[in-house]
Amino acid sequence: MGDDTEEVLTGVGPRLKALRLQRGRTLAELAEATGISTSTLSRLESGRRRPNLELLLPLARSYAVPLDELVGAPATGDPRIHLRPVSRFGQTIVPLSRGAGGMQAFKHMIPGGDVLLQPEPKVHEGYEWMYVLRGQLRVVLGERDFVMKQGEAAEFDTRTPHWFGRATLESVEFLTLFGPQGERMHVRAAPAK
């Protein structure tokens, strides 16, 4: 086995542990979500167990991250742009657009878990549009507190105190469009028949 492969495999355990701690999950919670025993997960994180696909695939699914990111695989030389997810506020956020200023698009994935977070509304400049792809999203917008389901959309001025998170213990995925200077989406009416 080459030095590069050995280096990648050696880095998997610490990467898995850091990801689990960053997401605020225990080994027991992760074991329940993946079907992998806590002892195997512990050995995998400490480097005493060699990673394999049977272990890594359920972990990638549970964390909602691509397998190559989970293992820290080296770049392939592919000329296409691969947008890198970031983890913030207990969710994975994938930027779907690039560039400074103007409308920005993101996909958000909040993994399932045993605890529902308490809202902590924030305000900032901008305007946001969101669309739920899967699951149920709790949205607190000013005095309003409601649940959005798959296929529902909302838009709001981000100067209004707002917060969103899982409405149930199940995972949720949604898209957002954000205009930092208050740009609004332009929705066209259906064409005349």
Side-chain angles (χ1 to χ4, degrees), residues 153-175:
E155 63 178 320
F156 58 94
D157 185 321
T158 57
R159 292 175 293 187
T160 302
H162 61 283
W163 175 91
F164 38 85
R166 284 184 290 113
T168 70
L169 299 179
E170 302 298 317
S171 62
V172 62
E173 293 182 16
F174 57 102
L175 299 175

Side-chain angles (χ1 to χ4, degrees), residues 99-112:
M103 197 66 79
Q104 300 290 313
F106 302 90
K107 179 178 181 182
H108 300 252
M109 296 165 284
I110 304 175

Side-chain angles (χ1 to χ4, degrees), residues 42-73:
S42 177
R43 289 193 323 266
L44 190 59
E45 286 184 358
S46 68
R48 294 177 308 191
R49 171 82 188 248
R50 196 161 186 81
N52 61 38
L53 281 176
E54 284 131 3
L55 297 173
L56 294 175
L57 287 174
L59 288 167
R61 265 193 300 276
S62 179
Y63 288 128
V65 298
L67 187 58
D68 61 343
E69 181 180 315
L70 190 65
V71 299

Side-chain angles (χ1 to χ4, degrees), residues 23 60-61 63-66 69 83-98 104-111 128-135 137 164 171-178:
R23 300 282 176 94
R61 265 193 300 276
Y63 288 128
V65 298
E69 181 180 315
L83 301 172
R84 294 281 179 213
V86 295
S87 293
R88 286 197 187 120
F89 315 114
Q91 58 185 289
T92 300
I93 305 169
V94 181
L96 301 176
S97 60
R98 290 188 180 242
Q104 300 290 313
F106 302 90
K107 179 178 181 182
H108 300 252
M109 296 165 284
I110 304 175
E128 193 152 354
W129 178 88
M130 51 190 1
Y131 177 82
V132 178
L133 296 169
R134 184 174 60 83
L137 182 69
F164 38 85
S171 62
V172 62
E173 293 182 16
F174 57 102
L175 299 175
T176 60
L177 292 177
F178 173 74

